[in-house]
Amino acid sequence: MARTALVTGGTRGIGAAIAKKLKADGYTVAVNYGGNDEAAQKFTAETGIKAYKWDVSDFDACAAGIAQVEADLGPVEVLVNNAGITRDGFFHKMTRDQWSAVIRTNLDSLFNMTRPVWEGMRNRGFGRIVVISSVNGQKGQAGQVNYSAAKSGDIGFVKALAQEGASKGITINAVCPGYIGTEMVRAIDEKVLKERIIPQIPAGRLGEPEEIARAVAFLVSDDAGFVTGSTLSANGGQYMI
């Protein structure tokens, strides 16, 4: 029986690429989304992957949503915490709402999504969790103190929880994309992309969502059973640690 995989923020961009790749690899896939019903309906029509709507910043909504996925498709054995938002602004102008929205969605969601599946994974002796962090969680970025703080926290979450899950057959790893050619990034002014962003990338180009998806597919596979607590940087050489 195919393992069930759940991808948050899975109807667009990197999340959609991950969901499609996992389905192609034989997983039974469900995706979560937060608000864009039109995009979710289009994604499901194109892929046959069922989309479930809830707010990942709300613990009770996550618990209920996961329970519905498991009732429909079986226990979640693979979880990809991909959902994220930006509310950029220099810190001297940042509001508490901008700070809180990003922390709740990009960091609190890891607890909200992982806690409801954790005991099942422990009891079954198997689990794969991947967190999509960011190059800006590794190096920081002016104008993104909230986002960088959350994405750096994602990496700490992975390193600590990996130590708890290892003896139970659960791996948890982070992937840190750089600038990826999603709809959001390609909407940036072309001059800014060409003159300010791409010159920072030794590879000389944006990454593709499918390249992140392939990294995730490896980390959730049986081949990666000895890889846990790791941070995989996929940024074209923009930042090396």
Side-chain angles (χ1 to χ4, degrees), residues 114-197:
T114 306
R115 184 65 180 84
V117 303
W118 188 250
E119 288 180 53
M121 289 181 175
R122 282 171 52 89
N123 291 338
R124 290 186 297 272
F126 179 87
R128 294 285 188 269
I129 299 169
V130 177
V131 175
I132 305 301
S133 180
S134 169
V135 63
N136 290 341
Q138 296 174 297
K139 72 177 186 63
Q141 177 61 46
Q144 286 195 324
V145 171
N146 48 4
Y147 184 82
S148 295
K151 291 300 186 178
S152 180
D154 291 351
I155 296 170
F157 178 93
V158 164
K159 289 180 177 180
L161 192 57
Q163 296 178 51
E164 297 187 24
S167 66
K168 299 295 184 181
I170 307 169
T171 68
I172 176 167
N173 294 284
V175 176
C176 289
Y179 283 93
I180 306 300
T182 60
E183 181 181 341
M184 180 176 68
V185 171
R186 293 192 185 280
I188 296 172
D189 182 84
E190 187 175 355
K191 184 177 180 180
V192 173
L193 277 174
K194 288 184 175 180
E195 296 182 5
R196 296 178 57 186
I197 293 176

Side-chain angles (χ1 to χ4, degrees), residues 6-19 30-35 43 52 54 56 80-84 105 113 132:
L6 173 59
V7 182
T8 67
T11 61
R12 295 186 293 168
I14 291 172
I18 293 169
V31 297
N32 148 272
Y33 73 102
F43 173 82
Y52 296 78
W54 72 80
V56 295
V80 182
N81 285 309
N82 167 75
T105 299
M113 287 298 303
I132 305 301

